[in-house]
């Protein structure tokens, strides 16, 4: 099943999920301190108000000593997760260092996180944060064929340094080639657990049947895995034929599509909310072809939203928990390229893959008002949490983009 190519993040990492730090790798497994090349002058206050939107300033861009800084996530604590991408000194997809992660507040220098060194130079795939816990996903891969994923976490219960809580090699316990995963939202932090999606043959999973028989399609499928952020328990499976894990309040939500299990062209895609004892289907979409599918979801304690492509045309649906029917917002983007992010009282979106409408938008849930945040040259995705948001400003492509940091307070 084809979805929005998240690996464009690697291609345009200057404004999306940054990729690496130029330094001589230490032996795998050894803890290393954060880079001394952290930044000076990354924050420029430029406070301005436009209705309910207050732009606080610009963050990121070139880092002193080489490389660039971006915003990878926003925590409910009000702090930002920054990622420092090095200047690789090369052209093309070669990695010479590893992305470094840190906590940041406007007006302060980033506090970089000490983390175990990966087996080789690695790039950031995705990050999520809640309260004082952050998780991120990294890979050494730079192509569209494989992803040797590792999940790292830093939390109060796990200590000041980050630790690897899961990895593809520990999970499979065998010589399994990790497959590329094109899920645009492949990682989520819910309460004290990390959730992430993977793509593989179902028979590669631990304790899987030796023969596919009639149960599985003659193609790879998607699964959602989980592990506690303190690393106290092994990785386990949450769902088969599912992807797009996200947090909605204190609940996990994800997308389940029975076509990923049956291998058929038609089927039903569902938004699933996982509970303590059982899961429930929030909404379902009947699809006759692969041109109709749900691509991404997000939510809060008061509403759930999802992006879908219906016969090739993108649409966003928003379902407040006190309403019976979802609101639909038809979009100009096509092919499932829309990527969404949820704040407490608003939802934002942009063209994740660079196809279609280049404008970044914000939609207020209460007033149903749509606001244009700006435009992007290529990849455009907004980070949102609570009443805070961040989005890349438009550049000509000759320099790393800076991020607009703003609040939305009706």
């Amino acid at each position: 099943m084809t979805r929005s190519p998240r690996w464009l993040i690697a291609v345009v990492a200057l404004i999306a999920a940054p990729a690496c730090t130029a330094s001589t790798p230490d032996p795998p497994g050894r803890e290393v301190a954060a880079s001394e090349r952290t930044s000076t002058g990354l924050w420029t206050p430029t406070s301005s108000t436009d209705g309910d939107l207050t732009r606080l300033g610009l963050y990121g861009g070139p880092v002193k000593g080489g490389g660039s800084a971006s915003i990878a996530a926003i925590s409910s604590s009000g702090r930002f997760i920054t990622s420092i991408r090095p200047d690789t000194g090369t052209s093309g997809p070669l990695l010479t260092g590893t992305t470094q992660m840190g906590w940041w507040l406007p007006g302060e220098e980033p506090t970089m996180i000490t983390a175990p060194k990966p087996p080789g130079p690695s790039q950031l795939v995705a990050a999520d944060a809640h309260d004082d816990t952050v998780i991120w996903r990294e890979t050494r891969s730079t192509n569209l064929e494989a992803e040797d994923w590792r999940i790292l976490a830093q939390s109060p219960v796990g200590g000041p340094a980050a630790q690897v809580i899961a990895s593809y090699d520990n999970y499979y316990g065998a010589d399994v080639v990790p497959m590329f995963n094109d899920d645009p939202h492949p990682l989520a932090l819910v309460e004290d657990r990390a959730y992430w999606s993977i793509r593989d043959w179902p028979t590669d999973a631990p304790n899987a049947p030796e023969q596919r028989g009639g149960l599985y399609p003659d193609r790879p499928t998607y699964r959602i895995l989980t592990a506690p952020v303190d690393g106290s328990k092994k990785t386990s499976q949450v769902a088969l034929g599912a992807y797009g894990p996200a947090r909605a309040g204190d609940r996990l939500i994800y997308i389940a599509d029975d076509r990923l299990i049956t291998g058929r062209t038609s089927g039903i895609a569902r938004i699933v909310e996982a509970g303590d004892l059982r899961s429930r289907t929030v909404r379902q979409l009947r699809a006759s072809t692969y041109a109709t599918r749900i691509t991404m979801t997000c939510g809060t304690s008061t509403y759930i939203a999802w992006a879908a492509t219906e016969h090739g045309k993108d649409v966003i649906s928003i379902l407040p928990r006190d309403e019976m029917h979802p609101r639909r917002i038809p979009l100009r983007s096509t092919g499932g390229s829309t990527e969404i992010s949820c704040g407490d009282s608003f939802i934002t979106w942009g063209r994740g893959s660079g196809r279609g409408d280049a404008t970044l938008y914000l939609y207020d849930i209460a007033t149903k008002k749509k606001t244009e945040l700006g435009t992007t040259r290529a990849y455009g995705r907004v980070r949102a949490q609570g009443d805070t948001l961040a989005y890349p400003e438009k550049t000509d492509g000759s320099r790393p983009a800076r991020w607009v940091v703003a609040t939305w307070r009706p």
Side-chain angles (χ1 to χ4, degrees), residues 201-342:
W201 291 105
T203 47
D204 284 340
N207 304 318
E210 293 184 2
Q211 301 295 326
R212 298 190 192 93
L215 179 61
Y216 301 123
D218 189 23
R219 67 183 71 186
T221 191
Y222 295 79
R223 294 186 288 130
I224 294 177
L225 307 179
T226 184
V229 296
D230 63 2
S232 60
K233 296 181 180 179
K234 292 183 177 181
T235 299
S236 59
Q237 179 173 301
V238 174
L240 174 67
Y243 56 95
R247 178 177 62 252
D250 60 354
R251 298 292 182 90
L252 167 72
I253 56 176
Y254 60 87
I255 304 160
D257 194 321
D258 59 17
R259 294 173 294 178
L260 295 173
I261 297 177
T262 65
R264 296 173 180 170
T265 302
S266 61
I268 297 176
R270 298 175 291 124
I271 304 293
V272 178
E273 183 179 62
D276 295 333
L277 299 178
R278 62 187 181 89
S279 299
R280 72 181 185 96
T281 297
V282 176
R283 209 69 185 176
Q284 66 181 31
L285 176 67
R286 292 186 178 276
S288 57
T289 69
Y290 282 136
T292 297
R293 60 192 185 277
I294 302 173
T295 55
M296 196 171 180
T297 185
C298 66
T300 69
S301 60
T302 59
Y303 74 94
I304 291 175
W306 59 93
T309 180
E310 299 179 2
H311 306 292
K313 297 181 179 180
D314 288 7
V315 62
I316 290 175
S317 298
I318 303 169
L319 181 63
R321 292 184 184 270
D322 60 354
E323 296 182 15
M324 293 292 293
H325 304 287
R327 307 173 192 176
R328 288 171 55 87
I329 306 175
L331 307 178
R332 288 186 290 172
S333 295
T334 60
S337 64
T338 302
E339 296 194 9
I340 61 176
S341 187
C342 290

Side-chain angles (χ1 to χ4, degrees), residues 29-34 101 103 111-117 132-136 151-165 229-231:
R30 174 183 170 188
E31 283 197 350
V32 295
M101 309 296 292
W103 293 92
T111 301
M112 305 310 291
I113 300 170
T114 298
K117 208 68 170 176
D132 295 323
T133 298
V134 57
I135 61 173
W136 71 90
I151 310 298
L152 294 92
Q154 184 209 28
S155 67
V157 295
Q163 59 179 320
V164 177
I165 62 172
V229 296
D230 63 2

Side-chain angles (χ1 to χ4, degrees), residues 27-60:
R30 174 183 170 188
E31 283 197 350
V32 295
S35 171
E36 295 178 357
R37 293 186 301 97
T38 0
S39 38
T40 55
L42 288 179
W43 172 244
T44 305
T46 57
S47 182
S48 64
T49 300
D50 181 11
D52 297 325
L53 180 70
T54 299
R55 295 178 176 87
L56 304 177
L58 295 171
Y59 173 80

Side-chain angles (χ1 to χ4, degrees), residues 75-225:
S75 174
S76 57
S77 66
R79 294 192 291 169
F80 296 81
I81 302 302
T82 181
S83 52
I84 307 295
R85 177 183 186 270
D87 180 0
T88 62
T90 64
S91 61
L94 187 62
L95 298 179
T96 60
T98 296
T99 302
Q100 292 182 330
M101 309 296 292
W103 293 92
W104 172 74
L105 275 173
E108 299 182 4
E109 287 291 317
T111 301
M112 305 310 291
I113 300 170
T114 298
K117 208 68 170 176
S122 299
Q123 65 174 327
L124 176 67
V125 175
D128 197 9
H130 187 69
D131 290 339
D132 295 323
T133 298
V134 57
I135 61 173
W136 71 90
R137 177 176 182 152
E138 66 181 24
T139 181
R140 292 176 295 171
S141 177
T142 58
N143 60 46
L144 297 177
E145 297 178 358
E147 181 193 348
D148 53 344
W149 51 266
R150 298 200 325 162
I151 310 298
L152 294 92
Q154 184 209 28
S155 67
V157 295
Q163 59 179 320
V164 177
I165 62 172
S167 63
Y168 87 95
D169 48 350
N170 285 337
Y171 174 68
Y172 291 110
D175 187 20
V176 174
V177 177
M179 301 188 73
F180 164 68
N181 176 24
D182 62 353
D183 186 351
H185 198 281
L187 182 73
L189 173 61
V190 184
E191 298 291 285
D192 59 352
R193 299 190 70 88
Y195 296 87
W196 64 98
S197 63
I198 63 170
R199 178 172 177 256
D200 65 2
W201 291 105
T203 47
D204 284 340
N207 304 318
E210 293 184 2
Q211 301 295 326
R212 298 190 192 93
L215 179 61
Y216 301 123
D218 189 23
R219 67 183 71 186
T221 191
Y222 295 79
R223 294 186 288 130
I224 294 177
L225 307 179

